[in-house]
Amino acid sequence: MLVYLQAIETDDERAKFEAIYREYRGLMYYVAYRRLGHEQDAEDVVHHVFLKIAEHIKKIEPPCPKTKQLVVTMIDNRVTDLFRARGRHSTVELDEKWQGGQIPDTEDLLTQCILRLPEQQRTVIWLKYVQGYSLREIAGLMGISLAWAQKIDQRGKKKLEQLYREGGGEL
């Protein structure tokens, strides 16, 4: 709680914050955990909201039904923001049989061609066209420059087209 109190200027505001903290911390954690289902994420959300409360303590009333509604709403909004940030991209399980260059048997020519791409090209194609990441996000994930991600994407599409045509596919 000391971290929060350092951001507050007057003793009256500190006392108000302490009262809010003691009164609603358990409720805030409960609401966050109920929606998230993960202890650490719930604690992070509660911490973030308490920082916001400390920043705006002058505008917040001491513990009362209105304050209770405010803190629960703040928790709900923060959890929703967290879901939005995570929901931009789906989570995909890594298929171990694709590891080590083993190409699974498949009838689909396009899939066979994608699996024959060099690893970096295959990764960029997968992240961009299947998972929906932007090239800027891909560059960040792979630890490369945006220009290099663009070049890999360009080369990957060209190589994919070549492999597809060689396999008998028509565009």
Side-chain angles (χ1 to χ4, degrees), residues 31 66 109 114 146 157:
V31 171
K66 186 176 178 181
L109 176 61
I114 291 171
L146 175 59
K157 288 187 288 188

Side-chain angles (χ1 to χ4, degrees), residues 87-153:
R88 290 179 59 197
H89 304 290
S90 59
T91 305
V92 179
E93 294 282 329
L94 181 61
D95 192 346
E96 291 182 20
K97 67 183 176 185
W98 290 30
Q99 294 287 30
Q102 297 177 1
I103 300 176
D105 294 331
T106 178
E107 299 284 325
D108 183 17
L109 176 61
L110 182 59
T111 303
Q112 288 176 357
C113 294
I114 291 171
L115 292 172
R116 290 178 50 205
L117 289 172
E119 183 179 349
Q120 268 194 331
Q121 292 175 3
R122 184 174 58 241
T123 301
V124 169
I125 296 291
W126 173 261
L127 289 172
K128 183 175 180 188
Y129 299 102
V130 176
Q131 295 299 312
Y133 284 84
S134 71
L135 285 173
R136 185 173 308 283
E137 292 170 319
I138 293 169
L141 288 170
M142 295 178 70
I144 59 177
S145 69
L146 175 59
W148 186 239
Q150 291 168 334
K151 186 53 98 172
I152 293 170
D153 181 47

Side-chain angles (χ1 to χ4, degrees), residues 35-36 75-86:
R35 288 199 56 205
L36 292 167
I75 290 288
D76 274 337
N77 290 343
R78 180 64 185 163
V79 169
T80 301
D81 291 345
L82 190 62
F83 281 138
R84 283 186 187 137
R86 288 180 180 169

